[in-house]
Amino acid sequence: MKIAYNASAVLANNSLFRNDLKLSDSLKRLSSGLKITGGKDNPSGLAMARRMGAQLEGISVATQNAGDAISVIAIADGALAEVHDIMQRINELAVKASNETITNDDRQMIQDEVAVLKKEITRIAQTTEFNGQKILDGSFDLRGYTDNVEVKVTSYSDYVPTGIYEIDDLEIFYDHNGNIVLEDGIGGTASFGGITLNGTPPTVIPNARISAADGNVITITGLRGFEIKLELRRTETAFTLPAPGDPDAVPPVAPGTPLPYTYAVAATPILIDVVGFGAMDMQIGANEGQQLPIRINKLSLENMGISNIDLSTFDGALDGLSKMGKAVNYISSARSLMGAYQNRLEHTISNLDITTENMTAAYSRIMDVDMAEEMTKYTTLQILVQASTSMLAQANERPSNVLQLLQ
């Protein structure tokens, strides 16, 4: 028997120490409800769980973002619905003014009401906001740029591919009020030499033509929904129309000269950079690049083609009927786009909710402790700690037996 080194007590103490550590870890798991309370418990599992946790938090915010986007769309659609009602009223007035049973004085009163309604449309476009941001003034429409200070890209359709377009030999006509017209009255038609998308080789846009003009805005259309609206500024490049048989009579137009028509040749070629961005980007995912661009069409009288609608004359009323049909189609198309976005966002929210459910379940399997199983381990460890403590006491008592040999 030995008393200098009590090996049995050392063994019992080591067992007690290990069991006590395990009991402490079990207590932490039971008190926190987590299977992994520190990196040492499961390093790879902790890393996976933290990534999942970040994803879950990001998805929660993305769901809120999608809800905000629906709110923006609802506000825009509500404003456009009111514009729709105004357009319906203007259309009714155009139908009324097209009837020859009324006089021009009656039509002038109709035109006065139309002028007020047009101002209201402009006011709606300029004042409709969400969180202090105007949403119908073109702030969130697709952007385009030109190399010509006399030309501005007002809007273009979703079917216009991005890239740099070149317009050659653009010729347009103005009336004495400074408004663009498609024909000069003696056979001339607003036109251009061609429009191409730069590339290798350049792509010619088929069947492209100037299909409409309103105020100082022209609309260039092509096949498969291709449409670009350009705002043109009248400059000193305007000339009087040559008289028939006198093609060289092109002196500059003096300011204020009440000529019936003038024509202008824009500096050519005109380069238009269609960049394809400018829409309201909504972050609808937890990761980079998971964005939904929401395009909100610019609401303006020029884009609708009714800035110069005049129902004060019979001919103007007939022309107004034609313009109103296109204007209503413009608003209907914009509202249709808003509805499509809203449906898509609702599906997005549903998908995010399902992702949250499944990812939460996966996160729980990694991080959450099984309380019943852990309680069983805790009870076992408690017994082992008690047994280790008892055995340590017995091991410490063993050297005292040496005293019986010394009696």
Side-chain angles (χ1 to χ4, degrees):
M1 301 181 70
K2 303 175 181 178
I3 62 173
Y5 295 98
N6 191 345
S8 298
V10 173
L11 291 173
N13 184 62
N14 288 340
S15 296
L16 175 61
F17 179 74
R18 287 192 296 270
N19 290 330
D20 189 62
L21 283 178
K22 292 178 181 178
L23 183 64
S24 297
D25 291 339
S26 183
L27 278 170
K28 283 195 289 186
R29 286 191 284 269
L30 288 171
S31 61
S32 66
L34 299 176
K35 186 189 300 184
I36 303 175
T37 58
K40 67 183 183 63
D41 294 336
N42 186 349
S44 61
L46 180 64
M48 292 173 58
R50 290 309 178 194
R51 284 198 301 271
M52 286 185 181
Q55 287 286 300
L56 285 170
E57 293 296 330
I59 289 174
S60 176
V61 176
T63 302
Q64 297 175 22
N65 291 346
D68 291 341
I70 289 178
S71 298
V72 172
I73 290 172
I75 291 173
D77 185 62
L80 291 174
E82 196 60 37
V83 172
H84 234 155
D85 293 341
I86 294 174
M87 300 299 293
Q88 183 60 41
R89 176 57 182 165
I90 296 176
N91 188 67
E92 292 173 3
L93 293 173
V95 173
K96 189 178 181 102
S98 300
N99 188 7
E100 287 193 317
T101 60
I102 64 175
T103 66
N104 284 339
D105 290 339
D106 297 329
R107 292 190 182 94
Q108 185 57 53
M109 288 186 286
I110 290 174
Q111 178 59 28
D112 292 341
E113 181 179 351
V114 170
V116 173
L117 293 175
K118 285 163 60 177
K119 288 181 180 179
E120 178 60 16
I121 292 175
T122 301
R123 189 198 66 81
I124 291 173
Q126 294 175 349
T127 60
T128 302
E129 298 180 351
F130 179 85
N131 193 30
Q133 299 184 87
K134 292 179 172 58
I135 59 178
L136 291 178
D137 66 344
S139 297
F140 298 108
D141 204 350
L142 298 178
R143 307 288 174 81
Y145 306 93
T146 70
D147 65 339
N148 191 321
V149 295
E150 300 175 9
V151 183
K152 177 183 177 182
V153 179
T154 300
S155 67
Y156 51 88
S157 68
D158 294 325
Y159 304 99
V160 177
T162 59
I164 298 178
Y165 291 82
E166 181 177 303
I167 300 178
D168 295 316
D169 301 327
L170 176 62
E171 293 187 2
I172 54 176
F173 303 95
Y174 294 96
D175 62 18
H176 63 275
N177 292 319
N179 299 316
I180 296 175
V181 292
L182 296 184
E183 298 180 352
D184 63 4
I186 58 173
T189 303
S191 63
F192 52 85
I195 178 170
T196 57
L197 173 60
N198 287 349
T200 308
T203 302
V204 178
I205 306 303
N207 292 0
R209 63 188 181 90
I210 300 176
S211 60
D214 187 72
N216 59 347
V217 175
I218 63 171
T219 302
I220 298 176
T221 57
L223 297 179
R224 295 180 291 276
F226 183 94
E227 180 181 284
I228 298 178
K229 291 181 181 290
L230 300 177
E231 179 182 338
L232 307 177
R233 299 178 184 176
R234 183 176 180 180
T235 66
E236 294 303 321
T237 56
F239 296 92
T240 57
L241 274 174
D246 186 11
D248 298 325
V250 288
V253 176
T257 303
L259 297 173
Y261 291 103
T262 62
Y263 88 102
V265 180
T268 57
I270 299 173
L271 298 181
I272 301 175
D273 188 3
V274 174
V275 295
F277 62 77
M280 179 182 287
D281 286 330
M282 303 302 301
Q283 183 69 32
I284 57 171
N287 302 318
E288 181 183 3
Q290 295 179 342
Q291 294 177 316
L292 171 63
I294 296 178
R295 177 187 182 184
I296 304 178
N297 297 90
K298 181 179 180 179
L299 177 62
S300 69
L301 299 176
E302 289 78 13
N303 278 4
M304 290 187 290
I306 60 170
S307 66
N308 290 314
I309 187 172
D310 184 3
L311 306 185
S312 61
T313 65
F314 179 72
D315 291 338
L318 293 178
D319 183 61
L321 274 177
S322 174
K323 290 182 176 180
M324 287 307 303
K326 296 177 182 178
V328 170
N329 286 339
Y330 181 86
I331 299 299
S332 298
S333 176
R335 293 191 66 189
S336 175
L337 183 62
M338 294 297 100
Y341 279 134
Q342 185 165 348
N343 287 336
R344 180 176 177 180
L345 285 166
E346 289 175 354
H347 288 301
T348 296
I349 291 175
S350 297
N351 181 56
L352 290 174
D353 289 341
I354 293 172
T355 301
T356 299
E357 292 174 8
N358 294 323
M359 193 170 291
T360 299
Y363 183 84
S364 176
R365 283 191 292 270
I366 296 174
M367 291 295 293
D368 291 349
V369 67
D370 186 329
M371 297 297 287
E373 180 183 355
E374 192 61 37
M375 195 63 202
T376 301
K377 293 180 181 178
Y378 175 77
T379 303
T380 301
L381 289 170
Q382 253 189 335
I383 295 172
L384 287 174
V385 167
Q386 293 172 6
S388 299
T389 303
S390 176
M391 291 304 101
L392 179 58
Q394 293 295 326
N396 287 335
E397 286 293 325
R398 287 185 64 190
S400 65
N401 293 332
V402 175
L403 295 176
Q404 297 179 5
L405 297 175
L406 300 177
Q407 292 176 352

